[in-house]
Amino acid sequence: MPSITVDNNITFYYTDSGPPSKSAYVTIFFLHGLTFHSGIFQRLADSAWSRQLRIIAFNRREYPGSSPYTDDERRVIRTGSFEERLSFVQEQGKLIVLAVDGLIQQLSLPRRVAVAGWSLGTAALLSMYCSIERVSDDVQRRLRNSVKTFILLDTTIYCHGLPTPPGGYNPFHDHSLSYEHKSPAFQKWASSYYQHGDLSSHDVSELRLSSSGCELFKRPTVQTMTPMERKSTASPSSRYDCLFLLNFHSVLEAQTNTFLFDSHIRKSWGKHKFWCLYGEASFWVSIYASWYLEQKSNEINFKSLYGFNHFFMWDYPEGTLDLLIDICTNNDGKNSEYPVLTRL
């Protein structure tokens, strides 16, 4: 299994679509979300070559092939102070910085690199972004020369420490569900297709906040997967991710504020673009979070994707790749095809 080892003997497993036929290509590093690991990007990897893209997807720590947390790190996740938890997320961000820099060198990647976080992986992406000044000047210089684009893919309110609006549903907070039913309910909830109201209003009352999805477009993504596809994309190794989401609200709020307002960090990355993409048929936690960031920042590019749910890179890999290559080659996503909505 391909992997890279960084500080303190921490190892990250990764998948790699390999170099395309031409020497000048774009590489996109992906950071996955809760439960669904690097395998969820496999459909993107399968079609990457035809677009002169290279797809590299990490498994975050505690997921297959990557290092688990240490006993002390697990203590911090469970019961640590604010300062300990802030230091923890900064250290995890630094490790990802070093992993990206290490692979840029080891694989001799062209200087056209993007880093994308999906779902909970957007919190990891912000940790990486905010930790650039924790690495050496040489690492910073190499990354400034190579990394040109950062992409938040369907981020969620939990990645930014945002409060839940009244009536906002989450199966992990549903006391009517037994423990063993929460994870399947979460997967269905997160992968459903929702028919919201007028999203151009940016009004929370236009969001479908309840537990039920809308199946006018398609069935929930997880219900279209074969047992083998489920096994190859999801892992039960997400206990500490769940605790992280429960315990790190104030830390992630502070991290988001650093990301939004710390000009020194932006300068340390050099010239780059930051994008936030979200599906218009995604669950409410992603749309609401994207609206929040759009309200707070005029330095992020935003794009809402008609007909896309939270798992658009699985359900619509071709359209997703077209959009990503447009973004990474400075076309600002203007040439991308959008999905044709069908009922499965």
Side-chain angles (χ1 to χ4, degrees):
M1 296 196 306
S3 64
I4 184 167
T5 300
V6 293
D7 280 6
N8 300 320
N9 206 34
I10 300 300
T11 295
F12 290 97
Y13 165 80
Y14 66 90
T15 61
D16 181 7
S17 66
S21 58
K22 297 181 180 179
S23 59
Y25 59 84
V26 173
T27 302
I28 306 179
F29 288 92
F30 284 92
L31 300 166
H32 65 82
L34 174 69
T35 302
F36 292 89
H37 53 62
S38 60
I40 199 65
F41 304 110
Q42 187 56 47
R43 288 187 171 181
L44 297 182
D46 290 342
S47 300
W49 282 17
S50 64
R51 290 165 173 79
Q52 298 302 310
L53 274 175
R54 187 170 188 170
I55 302 296
I56 298 176
F58 289 114
N59 270 6
R60 295 188 291 103
R61 294 180 66 186
E62 292 284 337
Y63 285 84
S66 295
S67 296
Y69 294 129
T70 66
D71 289 343
D72 190 57
E73 287 173 325
R74 290 175 174 178
R75 176 194 63 79
V76 170
I77 293 173
R78 291 193 304 267
T79 62
S81 65
F82 174 87
E83 290 75 17
E84 288 178 313
R85 288 172 172 169
L86 182 60
S87 177
F88 170 82
V89 298
Q90 291 170 339
E91 180 63 17
Q92 302 315 303
K94 174 186 173 183
L95 294 174
I96 296 171
V97 168
L98 294 174
V100 170
D101 175 62
L103 287 180
I104 288 174
Q105 295 181 80
Q106 288 183 21
L107 303 176
S108 300
L109 299 179
R111 293 182 176 181
R112 300 174 71 190
V113 172
V115 186
W118 168 67
S119 195
L120 180 56
T122 60
L125 176 61
L126 293 194
S127 295
M128 173 198 177
Y129 187 82
C130 293
S131 297
I132 184 63
E133 295 178 336
R134 295 170 64 88
V135 298
S136 70
D137 290 342
D138 284 344
V139 173
Q140 292 187 45
R141 174 181 50 79
R142 285 193 295 268
L143 293 176
R144 274 196 301 271
N145 289 336
S146 294
V147 180
K148 305 301 181 184
T149 310
F150 296 89
I151 308 168
L152 300 174
L153 298 173
D154 230 45
T155 189
T156 74
I157 64 169
Y158 312 112
C159 299
H160 307 288
L162 301 179
T164 298
Y169 180 79
N170 182 324
F172 284 122
H173 302 155
D174 188 341
H175 298 299
S176 69
L177 295 174
S178 63
Y179 177 80
E180 59 269 21
H181 288 132
K182 287 183 183 293
S183 182
F186 165 79
Q187 293 181 26
K188 179 181 177 182
W189 173 66
S191 70
S192 288
Y193 283 77
Y194 295 88
Q195 189 174 35
H196 300 287
D198 179 11
L199 297 184
S200 66
S201 69
H202 286 203
D203 186 336
V204 67
S205 67
E206 297 291 334
L207 296 176
R208 183 183 288 269
L209 299 174
S210 66
S211 61
S212 60
C214 175
E215 298 184 6
L216 293 176
F217 301 154
K218 292 181 67 175
R219 285 182 291 159
T221 304
V222 295
Q223 293 184 1
T224 69
M225 290 178 165
T226 66
M228 185 60 70
E229 287 173 335
R230 292 284 293 274
K231 184 177 181 180
S232 68
T233 58
S235 169
S237 305
S238 56
R239 175 189 176 193
Y240 284 94
D241 270 357
C242 293
L243 290 173
F244 177 82
L245 288 172
L246 288 172
N247 296 336
F248 278 65
H249 285 200
S250 58
V251 171
L252 294 177
E253 179 185 15
Q255 175 174 269
T256 297
N257 287 334
T258 298
F259 159 67
L260 289 171
F261 306 120
D262 192 325
S263 60
H264 294 290
I265 288 175
R266 289 194 292 277
K267 290 178 181 178
S268 294
W269 280 104
K271 186 177 180 180
H272 63 280
K273 287 189 175 183
F274 218 107
W275 282 83
C276 179
L277 311 178
Y278 62 96
E280 293 185 2
S282 189
F283 55 174
W284 68 268
V285 297
S286 289
I287 300 172
Y288 189 58
S290 300
W291 286 352
Y292 172 83
L293 295 176
E294 190 168 5
Q295 181 185 30
K296 294 293 183 179
S297 175
N298 59 8
E299 297 188 4
I300 305 173
N301 299 286
F302 291 86
K303 195 171 188 66
S304 64
L305 307 174
Y306 176 72
F308 279 21
N309 77 338
H310 192 55
F311 284 71
F312 52 84
M313 69 290 184
W314 182 266
D315 284 345
Y316 296 105
E318 301 288 336
T320 300
L321 284 173
D322 288 340
L323 174 58
L324 292 175
I325 193 65
D326 280 353
I327 285 173
C328 293
T329 54
N330 296 316
N331 290 330
D332 294 339
K334 295 177 181 178
N335 300 326
S336 297
E337 296 180 0
Y338 286 88
V340 177
L341 301 183
T342 58
R343 183 179 177 87
L344 294 184

